Structure formats: C-alpha cells, structure tokens
Amino acid sequence: MRQVASRPGSWRSPYDDVVVTDAARLDVDHFVPLAEVHDSGGYAWDAARREAYANDQRPRTP
C-alpha cells in the first residue's frame, strides 16, 4: 500500500471521542464510505467501476 504524508495536527473520532495526534496511527480508507457511494448511485456502476473506486489509492487533499 502506498504511504501518504499528512499534515501535523490532531484528529477526533466522532464515534468514540478518541483523539489521535500521531498520524502514523491513522488508516484512512475512503473520504466517502463505500456504503454511501452505493446509496448515492454507485449501485448502478458496473463491476469494473466499483472495483476501481474501491481500490483507488491516489493521494487526496481536503
């Protein structure tokens, strides 16, 4: 898996209120969860497009 540099800071989980300050401890999968993509129209994509989206590891910037 390709490693992507992140900016220094802190990240708070809205699910359990845990705060992480070491970016190496984070594993960012997708900015848009796969279930949301499906619910928002991804269900109509062909198998190749779904697979390409799920495996896309290009760096993203907010």
Side-chain angles (χ1 to χ4, degrees):
M1 178 187 282
R2 182 176 169 181
Q3 297 296 316
V4 178
S6 64
R7 296 180 183 182
S10 63
W11 298 266
R12 184 186 63 80
S13 167
Y15 304 105
D16 55 13
D17 215 31
V18 170
V19 176
V20 176
T21 57
D22 178 6
R25 293 185 53 216
L26 299 173
D27 181 20
V28 178
D29 188 20
H30 292 87
F31 281 112
V32 179
L34 297 177
E36 177 64 29
V37 171
H38 175 83
D39 294 346
S40 297
Y43 63 85
W45 295 352
D46 63 30
R49 185 169 179 190
R50 287 194 307 270
E51 182 177 356
Y53 180 84
N55 293 318
D56 184 0
Q57 294 185 17
R58 291 177 292 169
R60 302 283 190 241
T61 55

